[in-house]
Amino acid sequence: MRTLKVSIGLVLVAFSALILVQSFSFHYYTKYGPGSGFFPIWMSGALLVLSLVFIVEAILGKEAKGEEILPRGKSLGYILASVAGVALFILLVPPLGFTIPCAIMLFLMLVGFYRWYVSIPLALVSSFALLVIFQSLLGLSLPVNALGF
Amino acid sequence: MDSISGLLLGFSTALQGGNILFCIIGVSAGMLVGILPGLGPVTAIALLLPVTFRMEAIPAIIMLAGIYYGSMYGGTITSVLINVPGEAASVVTCIDGHAMAKKGRAGTALGVAAIGSFIGGTATVIGLSLLGPPLAKLALGFGPQEFFAIMFLGMTMIMGLIGKSLIRGMLSAALGLTLAMIGMDPMSGALRFTFGEPNLMDGLDFVVIAMGLFGISEVLLGYETINAEKRVERISKLLPERDEWRPTMGAIGRGTFLGFLLGLIPGANAVIASVLSYSIEKKVAKDPSRFGKGAIEGVAGPETANNAFAGSAMIPLFTLGIPTSPTVAILFGAFIMHGLTPGPALFNENPTLVWAIIASMYIGNAVLLVFNLPMARLWAKIAFIPERILYPIIVAIAVVGAYSTSGSLWQVGAMLVAGVVGYFFKKVDIPLAPLLLTFVLGKLMENTFIQSMIYFGGNVLGFFARPISGTILILAFIVLGFSIVSAWKGRRRSLGSDTEV
């Protein structure tokens, strides 16, 4: 867990430093009062300091044994499948429209629990149902392809 | 408009066919998310918010508010029956609620929780009806100085009260404020931190962030324990024994009062209400050793307190326009999305809307009482829906919702990133509630601060020259001081572990 804490701390340090550096390109103070750089400088500065303290705390703190950052085995598979499913959805929607990428995403999340010949129809039917509910019944515009799905 | 004529107007609007239907849909959805572990009110409201884009403001907000207080009722059911809290405010209910269930008294536990929830919920809506108009009138005289002070107090409270470490609470709040700076600066029109990305011009979308941080991360965490077996206890007699009515009603009375008070305080949340109520009940009980073994007050008090809190938390939203907890922050966003600015002016400018929502809360609480007394067994069946079906549905709806906030896949990606960030933050105990609250309030805090500074001619001490803003800020610094001292001495006790309610 210490590795995770330090890594999160480092990402936050990098992010706050980036914002802080950019903040200086805005006016800190104008003749009327604080400018558009005032708040960002203080906030990202505070975030930077707090992230550093967080890292120090993580390094000095006691480390509980046996705590893993990620689970092992099947649970890890389920987590990765859902993250990959959403990522694939984002990539596949522009060429394929809504229904097929959504079905692929659902399939990836279902196939760990059900056999493939159950997962595929389940994913397709649910995906199509979502299209009908959200587009036809609720009037939202979904990213459909030229054929309308 | 006084409270009585306001309420009459409200009921005449809320009882119209469409509005009452959406009230029932809202409270049913609330029950559902309350019962289903892994799905809390923030996620549910964020998920259903895009659905309301095409709706009128009144039914939309009636429905979304219904989800909030409805979830407080539903959370009890899984706590009692399977010892898993459906939402965070029902965590303490597991202790005595599940103990009662093991003794074959699950029905009674659910029964007193329903009665307490109804009394607590309705009493605070009465409070809102009576206190709303005068408080709004008072708040009309507030300037940006007072608003900044109140938001600052809320921020220090949430940092001080929530999570295991003050540093991590502050870190979370600072991150929320920094993320809020992304996009166009409303004061000067300057584009800040967009990195040339046109999707960032309006800033990060709070619905997308909320769904990611609270919804997706919860699904990812849920997959870690998905194969754990659920044992469901049976429901029998719903009402308490004759000699139990007195202590039960006492606990309900104390819970109502406590929840109502806490709802008014910026930065408090429903978990704090239920946890405090539990410890108060344990202190006033003649025989505290019964607690943990199925004491009826241990269910009645906390369940009343969290519902009273949910009603009372609407008061700062309606009268000041300031959300005090993450769920109310999402409701705040819903108002904005429908072109309304919650706050003191709303009572004058749009009395029909305000009173219709308040009236719908009376109706909703009555509907929930029916749902939870005669129909408790029916709802309990929902707890059987397996997560392996539930999670893909949540993710798919979240994806559709994120896409429809601006018709862009970019938002889906932002939600996924927020979800993964939330997942890892939860692992290292960085609380998410301060992040969401400061993120929603960030721009408003910046604006009110800059306006105040212009007013004071650049002198920060000007805040202390005004009685109201000065007092509130001093209070905020006292809270901060106490939090630092208790963190230093290592005496910090986590009241509300990180939560979305």
Side-chain angles (χ1 to χ4, degrees), chain A residues 27-106:
Chain A
H27 294 291
Y28 180 72
Y29 225 84
T30 64
K31 63 179 173 182
Y32 304 108
S36 49
F38 185 90
F39 231 67
I41 288 178
W42 280 95
M43 290 310 125
S44 56
L47 183 61
L48 182 67
V49 173
L50 288 164
S51 312
L52 289 170
V53 175
F54 178 67
I55 294 176
V56 172
E57 231 184 30
I59 294 173
L60 297 180
K62 275 186 203 149
E63 182 74 353
K65 276 194 178 161
E67 280 191 356
E68 307 258 348
I69 295 172
L70 287 171
R72 284 162 192 263
K74 276 196 170 173
S75 289
L76 180 63
Y78 303 144
I79 291 171
L80 292 179
S82 33
V83 173
V86 180
L88 266 180
F89 175 86
I90 298 171
L91 289 176
L92 294 179
V93 162
L96 296 176
F98 173 79
T99 312
I100 296 169
C102 181
I104 295 175
M105 176 179 82
L106 291 173

Side-chain angles (χ1 to χ4, degrees), chain A residues 32 36 38 69 75 114 139, chain B residues 54 185 192 223 388 427 449:
Chain A
Y32 304 108
S36 49
F38 185 90
I69 295 172
S75 289
Y114 300 95
Chain B
R54 292 285 179 88
D185 168 23
R192 295 185 296 188
Y223 272 128
R388 56 179 185 268
K427 294 222 149 182
F449 180 76

